[in-house]
Structures are given as C-alpha cells and as structure tokens.
DNA sequence: ACAAAAATATACCTATTGGTACAATATAGG
DNA sequence: CCTATATTGTACCAATAGGTATATTTTTGT
C-alpha cells in the first residue's frame, strides 16, 4: 500500500459528478464552487486529484464519451441490421439518452463545442472537443463509404453529404432535447432524415 | 431639444456591437468589459442607456431577430415559389448568413438557448429566448398545415413532424456553422432534408 | 511508538464579475 | 451668462472567479 492518509472519496464518482455539472452548465457556467459541491469534495482535493479546471474538464469529457456515447456505437456495426436500422436505432438510442432527464440536457459535446468560438475556453479543452468532433464525423463517413448496403444503393457516391446529414440532424436533435422536446417527436425527425438519404 | 449634454454615441450602433459580442460569446461569456469595449462606451453610459446586462441582452436579442432573421422570412411567403423552393431558399439564406464570417458564428439564438438549462441566465433573458423559439416552431408548423401545396401533397397530415424536421436541421446546421463547416456542404444537407419530407 | 507521506479543512490570494457614487463636462433654455 | 439637466470618466463596491499556503488529520512502514 502507498503511505499516507487514504482518499475519502471515489475518483470515478467525483468525475461523474463533475461531468454532470459540465453537461448542465457548459465549461464557462461551471464554477469551481459548483463542481466541488457536486463532487462532494473541497478545492484542494480537486486540484491534487485532477490538476485544475481544464484538466478536470478534459477527463470529464472523455468520461462522457466513454460512459454515454461509446455504448451506442456497437449498433452501427451490428451485422444483422440493415443500414437503415443501424442508423435509426443508433440515432434513437442517442436521442433517448439525451431526453432522459425531465429537464433534458441534450449533448455535453454539442453544448461545450458551441463555447469554443467564445475564445474563453483553454486550449486543451478546445483540443479534446475538436478531436471528438472529427472522430464522430469520420465514423459516419466511413460507414457510408464502406458499408456494403451503402455501396449497393450508391450512397457511397455522396458519402460526405449523407454523413454530414446524419451528424447535422444529431446535433440539431441535441439542441431540441436540451430545449425539452420529447424523444417521441424527435423519432419522427429521424425517420424523415433517413428517408431523405434514400434509406 | 432636451436639455443636457448630448449622447456621444449612436444607441443602435452600440446595440449592434453588443449583439455581436453576445453572438460570439453567449450570455455567460459576454462580460460587461467585453460588451462596453465593443460598444465603445463605458459602464455608466451603458447602464443609463440600456438598464443592465439582462436588459441589454433582451434588446440585443430582438435586434438580432430583426436584423438577421426576419429578412429571410419573406422567402417563405413568396407566391411564385414552390413549397420546396420556399423552404430550400429560406434555409440556404439563413445558413449562408450563419457561415458568413470566416470563423463562423452560427445562430445567436441557438447558442444562447443552450445556456438556459445552466440555470445561470436571468429570467427575462430566458423569456425572450423561449418566446422566439416558440414563434419559430409555429412558423414552420403553420406552413405545413396551411400551404396549398403542402395540403395537396398530404404533408399537412404530418405537419408537426415535418415542421420539427426543418427546425431540427436548422438548429443542427447552426451548430455546424459555428464549428466552421462551410455553407456549400450544408446545402447538401438541406437537399437531403427536403427529399426526406417528400419535396 | 514514531516518522514520513498523503489527504483534508480552513483561510487566504489576486483578478474579475455585475453594478454604482460622484465629480467633471457639455448642452439648452431663460 | 447662468442654471438646470444630461452624459461622461474615474474610482470604487461587494461578490465570486480560479487557484494556493498552511496547518491538521489520517494512514503506513519501521
């Protein structure tokens, strides 16, 4: 065992609490008082464990992606589903998660990415946000470029546009979810969107 | 003439400058120092002219709607255009405006509406933001409900879903514009969207 | 039992936040 | 020209921001 007093809190529980604060308030709106209160610790504990606000944000952002976004991805590679069902179930799953809270919160990433232009966000926080944005776009692009059914239907010819359509609707749905629009209504938007792509 | 020293600045010019700061930074990220510096005045002048930060925000928000959003609306009621062209030209016009700056700023309203859930926005600011959200939704809804071509094609049967689809894509496109995606790519998304609705 | 190490609580730091008091400066009417 | 009125510049206010110094508590190895 390492020498010294034992940590009186679970690092992952605290990180999850911090993630929820950033999710609700964004980077700028989440003060250290808000964060540490939600995490159930005081500032020195936060600083010694996570570094500083931007380092906490970087960890909280990765934690969001791993705990709330990654699990939906396996739907996109389910071999038994048609391309339409892959995309539909993926989008429905993501949006259901974003409308879960009675006071919907939408998407952590969409919220915080919108703060980048303000020029008030530290560079490491900007980096991680931009990195996930690039990755998300790449996932849809490679799906339309490589999926056999996509190629068969000729959707790979306009893979870029179709990928951007999915991504745009997801971002829009995140805004709508944050504004309190219920999941059921957004499912109709998904249906329209997939029809427009040709699925 | 009224007695007393004359105002050394143009109220509308100052309001326009304030609008641009809120557009870039949102309500929380726009400090009084940022605002007054951009407006070219000092704090007492700002407070005596506009009241306080939230009153300035309410005026700046209305100014945004009138100077940047209202002008696109006439496209939706152009009698010579098909329903598809009305919606396409409207969306293209809005998105072209949002991608204008090399460092795109997206939509003022979408940005600030995303701050509401943070619970850090004064109530009068929340009210004006929610009011414009309701109005925007109503415009698309009444279009699909009442437009002759919409009725002829049976789109009025699902007017709610179609209206929400347009609005969701516009919000998503605003996020994309803010992230720097060029106008040309988003025009492809518009095309997909209108196809999905059945236009 | 005791020293070293780690985590905690409290109090503090400087900078900035939204907002004002007050004195100096213009302006118009009498 | 002088007074009333309105705007301006400067300096300030309390509260909070992100971050830290320090002393206290708790733990383990010797």
């Amino acid at each position: 065992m390492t020498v010294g007093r034992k940590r009186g809190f679970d690092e992952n529980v605290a990180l999850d609490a911090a993630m929820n604060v950033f999710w609700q308030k964004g980077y700028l709106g989440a003060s250290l008082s808000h964060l540490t209160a939600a995490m159930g610790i005081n500032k020195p504990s936060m600083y010694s464990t996570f570094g500083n606000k931007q380092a906490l944000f970087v960890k909280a952002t990765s934690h969001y992606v791993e705990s709330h976004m990654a699990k939906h991805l396996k739907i996109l590679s389910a071999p038994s589903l048609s391309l339409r069902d892959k995309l539909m179930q993926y989008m429905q799953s993501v949006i259901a998660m974003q409308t879960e809270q009675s006071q919907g919160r939408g998407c952590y990433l969409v919220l915080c990415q919108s703060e980048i232009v303000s020029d008030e966000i530290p560079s490491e926080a900007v980096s991680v946000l931009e990195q996930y944005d690039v990755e998300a776009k790449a996932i849809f692009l490679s799906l339309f470029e490589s999926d056999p059914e996509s190629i068969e239907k000729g959707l790979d010819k306009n893979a870029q546009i179709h990928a951007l359509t999915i991504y745009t609707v997801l971002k829009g749905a995140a805004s709508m979810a944050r504004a309190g629009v219920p999941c059921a209504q957004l499912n109709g938007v998904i249906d329209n969107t997939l029809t427009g792509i040709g699925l």
Side-chain angles (χ1 to χ4, degrees), chain A:
Chain A
M1 282 291 282
T2 56
V3 161
R5 184 172 174 174
K6 277 192 282 190
R7 185 165 281 158
F9 63 96
D10 184 309
E11 185 175 332
N12 288 321
V13 172
L15 184 60
D16 194 72
M19 175 201 75
N20 279 300
V21 175
F22 285 125
W23 197 348
Q24 187 196 343
K25 296 180 182 291
Y27 186 88
L28 297 175
S31 72
L32 280 178
S33 304
H34 288 134
L35 289 164
T36 53
M39 296 164 88
I41 63 180
N42 45 35
K43 286 194 270 187
S45 293
M46 185 262 143
Y47 276 86
S48 70
T49 305
F50 298 100
N52 57 15
K53 187 183 176 182
Q54 75 177 295
L56 174 65
F57 178 80
V58 169
K59 292 190 178 80
T61 304
S62 294
H63 176 60
Y64 171 80
V65 171
E66 283 155 26
S67 66
H68 284 78
M69 293 306 290
K71 63 183 168 189
H72 309 287
L73 281 178
K74 67 177 188 297
I75 300 174
L76 288 180
S77 45
S80 64
L81 295 177
S82 68
L83 181 55
R84 177 177 228 279
D85 284 345
K86 280 182 202 165
L87 284 165
M88 186 175 71
Q89 289 182 27
Y90 172 80
M91 296 174 87
Q92 284 178 347
S93 180
V94 169
I95 291 170
M97 178 270 288
Q98 290 171 359
T99 51
E100 229 161 43
Q101 319 273 331
S102 65
Q103 168 124 349
R105 284 180 308 181
C107 177
Y108 176 120
L109 297 171
V110 170
L111 172 65
C112 295
Q113 279 161 358
S114 77
E115 296 183 295
I116 291 176
V117 176
S118 77
D119 218 55
E120 315 272 330
I121 312 296
S123 59
E124 292 179 30
V126 171
S127 293
V128 69
L129 289 169
E130 290 181 340
Q131 177 201 323
Y132 284 124
D133 188 58
V134 168
E135 283 181 21
K137 269 192 251 189
I139 287 169
F140 299 118
L141 184 59
S142 91
L143 181 66
F144 281 104
E145 281 177 342
S146 310
D147 183 270
E149 192 182 334
S150 173
I151 295 171
E152 178 203 341
K153 290 187 159 70
L155 299 181
D156 59 324
K157 303 274 202 316
N158 295 103
Q160 175 101 359
I161 292 172
H162 296 326
L164 204 67
T165 301
I166 299 290
Y167 196 43
T168 300
V169 169
L170 279 171
K171 285 206 177 191
S175 284
M176 305 296 274
R178 194 166 171 85
V181 174
C183 184
Q185 289 186 28
L186 295 172
N187 283 341
V189 174
I190 295 173
D191 192 68
N192 272 350
T193 301
L194 295 174
T195 301
I197 286 174
L199 288 171

